[in-house]
Amino acid sequence: MAAAKELKAVSRANAGKGAARAERRAGRVPGTVYGENQPAASISVDAVEIGRRIYAGRFLTTVFDLEIDGQKTRVIPRDFQLDPLKDRPVHVDFQRLGKGAIIKVAVPVHFINQEASPGIKRGGTLNVVRHTVDFHCPAEQIPESITADLTGLEINDSLHISAVKLPDGVKPVIRDRDFTIATIVPSSGYLEELAAAAAKAKADAAAAEAAAAAGTPPAGEGVAPAAGEGAAPAAPAADAKGAKPEGGDKK
């Protein structure tokens, strides 16, 4: 759980598109702070600073102590917009956080131990169903990520949220089912191997059935020939005294 970050802002007296454009020309990004049963406040933040925060990652799950004209307010970013051409921030919204506030956040999922997954070792592919998961949690206990362990997963196995150890106080928004986070899917080569093996087994079974119907043994299981049928004639044997067989030379 990360500590709150510091961020400075100034209040804006004027709202509207014209005032927002003026802020951007001055190198600042207009924004709004709302929530906690208080009126929404128009603010602006330094464009370079807020851009650095956004591109550092996990911006929408980071709690800030936002200093507005010298007064600090604990907030969490709820949305931001980027210029579609220049990819720079043009607006940002913050939600105020009261003490003990429970908020909804999208937390990224990190996958570990891919080398310990038999399915991946056999050529399967990790199919990520959810790169982030929505949770309800205390504002002071927002996890930077959750860790999903792939150890032991075979091809066609699925990893569900129930298999992930969550920090205390962190609960999935979806509570009515054990939803899937990732699956191990077979590769095309693996499917081809299975299809070839199935085809061979089918052909072997058909051949065995045909052989049984014809009354012949399956291939490779021939019967030894009977005596005198195709066997070479035995050589004449000598008697115990070494006498030559009949028909030999006479003295």
Side-chain angles (χ1 to χ4, degrees):
M1 313 296 176
K5 307 289 186 181
E6 301 286 337
L7 184 64
K8 291 186 177 181
V10 297
S11 58
R12 292 188 294 133
N14 299 320
K17 294 183 178 180
R21 284 195 293 267
E23 291 287 347
R24 296 185 190 106
R25 286 194 297 268
R28 302 188 66 79
V29 175
T32 304
V33 180
Y34 64 89
E36 283 297 292
N37 298 317
Q38 300 179 37
S42 297
I43 62 164
S44 69
V45 293
D46 181 76
V48 174
E49 176 67 10
I50 199 67
R52 183 176 66 83
R53 301 279 190 174
I54 290 172
Y55 288 112
R58 300 193 298 271
F59 180 66
L60 295 178
T61 58
T62 301
V63 174
F64 290 94
D65 283 332
L66 185 65
E67 183 179 334
I68 307 172
D69 300 334
Q71 183 176 359
K72 289 186 177 181
T73 302
R74 182 150 291 193
V75 299
I76 187 169
R78 277 315 194 190
D79 193 18
F80 62 86
Q81 289 86 46
L82 301 177
D83 185 291
L85 298 179
K86 299 179 180 179
D87 213 27
R88 299 173 183 170
V90 294
H91 188 86
V92 61
D93 288 330
F94 296 95
Q95 178 186 347
R96 298 184 185 97
L97 298 176
K99 186 176 181 180
I102 303 296
I103 58 174
K104 176 184 173 182
V105 289
V107 178
V109 183
H110 289 171
F111 296 92
I112 63 171
N113 294 330
Q114 295 194 28
E115 70 283 356
S117 165
I120 293 178
K121 284 184 176 181
R122 291 165 57 202
T125 302
L126 174 63
N127 174 46
V128 179
V129 178
R130 294 176 183 268
H131 291 274
T132 63
V133 176
D134 289 338
F135 292 102
H136 286 136
C137 63
E140 295 79 13
Q141 294 179 280
I142 301 173
E144 294 185 359
S145 63
I146 60 171
T147 302
D149 192 343
L150 302 175
T151 299
L153 291 186
E154 290 280 3
I155 290 175
N156 294 322
D157 281 352
S158 296
L159 183 70
H160 300 93
I161 188 62
S162 60
V164 178
K165 182 175 176 55
L166 301 176
D168 292 340
V170 176
K171 301 183 183 302
V173 171
I174 298 174
R175 304 295 299 277
D176 60 345
R177 67 184 186 277
D178 190 15
F179 56 87
T180 300
I181 297 176
T183 58
I184 306 298
V185 296
S187 63
S188 57
Y190 177 78
L191 292 176
E192 290 172 1
E193 289 179 8
L194 288 182
K200 184 178 183 305
K202 184 176 181 180
D204 290 346
E209 184 178 350
T216 58
E221 296 183 7
V223 179
E229 294 184 4
D239 60 16
K241 295 182 180 179
K244 294 182 179 180
E246 287 186 6
D249 292 337
K250 296 182 179 178
K251 291 184 180 180

